[in-house]
Amino acid sequence: MTEEKNGLSHGPANNEMAPQEDGTKVPLTDEAGQVKFSSNPPNGDAKIDISDGPTFSGLTKNELMKYADDPFWVRLRWVLFFIFWGGWLAMLVMAIVIIIQAPRCAPKETLEWVQESAMVQLYMKVPVDPNGDGTFDPQDVVMMAKELGVTTVYLEDLISGQDFEKLNRIYDNTDVLAVLKAANEANLHVVTDFVPSTVDQNNVWVTNTSFSDFFIPGTRTLDFSNEGLLDKLTEIFSTTWNSRGVLGYLVEDENVDETLKNATVTITQGLAEEDGAVVYGATDVNRELNTFTPELFKYFLDQHIDNWAYYKFNPRLAEATSDPDSKAKAKLVTMTLFLVPGTPLLQGIQTDYFNAEKGFIKSLSEFRGKESVQVGDMTFVNSTSEDVIAFARVMKGTPGCAVAVNFHPSNSTEVDFQSIAGVPEKGDMRIKISNGNYTGGELGRAELSRVVLEPLQGVVVLFVPNLD
């Protein structure tokens, strides 16, 4: 029964609140949602805590074991197992397929050693004397090559026409073997001429009937479709001539037909272990430009730049014409041949020319080492003047160069290189030829939209291409 006193109603006693001797009331239970009261006698503050109750901590081991062998959960685990590993294998297969089918980067184009460096012809009868002491030492060849920045030297007709395993008699009483040895020790490549298509009547293969299959019947012309002939030449080159330090063999252009072209490929493959090479495409620039005009020179370049050529050019011979500007023009031709696709083979480089032009040739050799000059795209500029030849060598990711030469003896002109894709607004002038006088180095900035060319002037401008 409820007790009433002084107008207040008191319910039944609550066992959750038990009085303590210090006056603090503490609940006797701790259930979820239960309110706890506590008081702090010293300051009379009250603290209220609302319990959240016990938290869920997962099933116990005993509870889990009830489902371990349950058919539903067993099947579910196996399904998830196969889904996981099936998905993983599918991703692996997809990754492999993507790698296989993804477009591959084109292999980096490179040149063979016989194409990379310009070549310089050596003359054993009138050798270069870099030291100027009136003597010739085989080491002079090494010194000359270093001074000119080349790594390949050329000796004409080393192979005897009467016996392909012997030296030509024109080298009798010379130190040619010592020169070959010095060049080999200095890691210089040596190139000579390939065997002639029509051999000398006293050739040992002609006089020995056991070699008759090497010739077209009834002639002294070699049959380059004969496998035995190709095997024999490969053997001679890889043994006799390789031991003398000769690695390259140059075929004259006028002797080349498809059969001989195929033969050069076959022999080169046979010389792969020795890094030997047989190449064709040699052309005599002096002969083809006997009557020099800029239009003829441009036509000559158009005919050769798409097929790698070996430009035999004698600047001294080009200078020795009746044209009063022949020296300046010969220098412009030399610069152009170094920077178009192809390999220049300089002839007539004797002591006086060597001493006068070594800085010029070395600077051109350095430019040939740039990737854009070796394998970059070449595009001509459509100049308004027939006396001007201008082009750019451009390749993404490597410095390009703009080349322009003006063969006119009195008129100046301008060239706009920005008509070529990838050519920026400005570049660095690095080479300038003015009336036959060479200047090299950092020559200032140049506006590539208007490169000014004075009479008988040539320039080379280095730039960073803006190809996307």
Side-chain angles (χ1 to χ4, degrees), residues 21 23 32 47 71 106 121 145 183 186 224 238 269 281 315 333 337 357 367 435:
E21 292 182 359
K47 181 178 179 182
Q121 181 171 350
F224 288 106
S238 63
Q269 291 173 346
V333 170
L337 293 176
E357 306 297 350
F367 259 89
N435 201 24

Side-chain angles (χ1 to χ4, degrees), residues 39-275:
S39 62
N40 190 340
N43 55 23
D45 292 337
K47 181 178 179 182
I48 302 175
D49 291 328
I50 302 177
S51 174
D52 291 332
T55 58
F56 179 74
S57 58
L59 299 177
T60 66
K61 179 179 178 181
N62 292 332
E63 291 172 327
L64 285 173
M65 291 305 294
K66 291 190 300 182
Y67 302 101
D69 298 322
D70 185 284
F72 171 78
W73 290 106
V74 171
R75 287 194 297 269
L76 180 61
R77 289 197 300 271
W78 278 109
V79 169
L80 294 176
F81 175 83
F82 286 115
I83 290 175
F84 171 79
W85 285 109
W88 189 89
L89 290 174
M91 289 189 292
L92 178 62
V93 171
M94 289 175 62
I96 294 174
V97 171
I98 291 172
I99 293 172
I100 293 175
Q101 294 186 346
R104 301 187 180 188
C105 296
K108 184 178 179 180
E109 187 176 357
T110 58
L111 299 180
E112 300 295 333
W113 66 261
V114 75
Q115 298 173 311
E116 274 189 341
S117 170
M119 302 184 196
V120 175
Q121 181 171 350
L122 302 183
Y123 296 90
M124 299 304 300
K125 295 295 184 180
V126 188
V128 173
D129 177 22
N131 295 314
D133 57 5
T135 63
F136 176 75
D137 186 281
Q139 294 301 322
D140 290 345
V141 175
V142 177
M143 177 180 174
M144 181 188 71
K146 290 182 178 179
E147 289 284 347
L148 297 179
V150 303
T151 58
T152 305
V153 293
Y154 167 77
L155 284 97
E156 188 175 32
D157 292 329
L158 270 177
I159 301 174
S160 170
Q162 297 183 1
D163 188 338
F164 296 151
E165 297 190 59
K166 293 183 178 180
L167 283 165
N168 196 324
R169 295 190 62 182
I170 63 174
Y171 291 97
D172 289 350
N173 303 318
T174 69
D175 292 331
V176 66
L177 290 177
V179 168
L180 293 174
K181 181 180 178 182
N184 187 47
E185 291 175 347
N187 295 320
L188 294 177
H189 298 109
V190 178
V191 173
T192 191
D193 295 298
F194 189 63
V195 298
S197 295
T198 301
V199 303
D200 189 280
Q201 62 181 358
N202 297 318
N203 186 281
V204 294
W205 288 359
V206 175
T207 59
N208 188 337
T209 57
S210 62
F211 295 103
S212 58
D213 290 345
F214 290 176
F215 298 93
I216 296 174
T219 71
R220 289 184 282 110
T221 301
L222 294 173
D223 180 6
F224 288 106
S225 65
N226 185 288
E227 293 184 3
L229 170 62
L230 302 186
D231 290 341
K232 185 62 175 177
L233 289 175
T234 302
E235 177 190 348
I236 292 173
F237 293 155
S238 63
T239 55
T240 303
W241 290 102
N242 182 60
S243 66
R244 293 168 177 164
V246 180
L247 290 179
Y249 307 88
L250 191 58
V251 181
E252 290 287 345
D253 235 357
E254 56 266 27
N255 298 326
V256 178
D257 55 23
E258 287 303 317
T259 301
L260 182 50
K261 288 180 181 179
N262 294 334
T264 64
V265 174
T266 301
I267 297 174
T268 299
Q269 291 173 346
L271 299 175
E273 188 173 341
E274 293 83 20
D275 203 20

Side-chain angles (χ1 to χ4, degrees), residues 415-426:
V415 178
D416 180 8
F417 284 100
Q418 284 203 281
S419 60
I420 299 174
V423 176
E425 295 181 359
K426 295 184 178 182

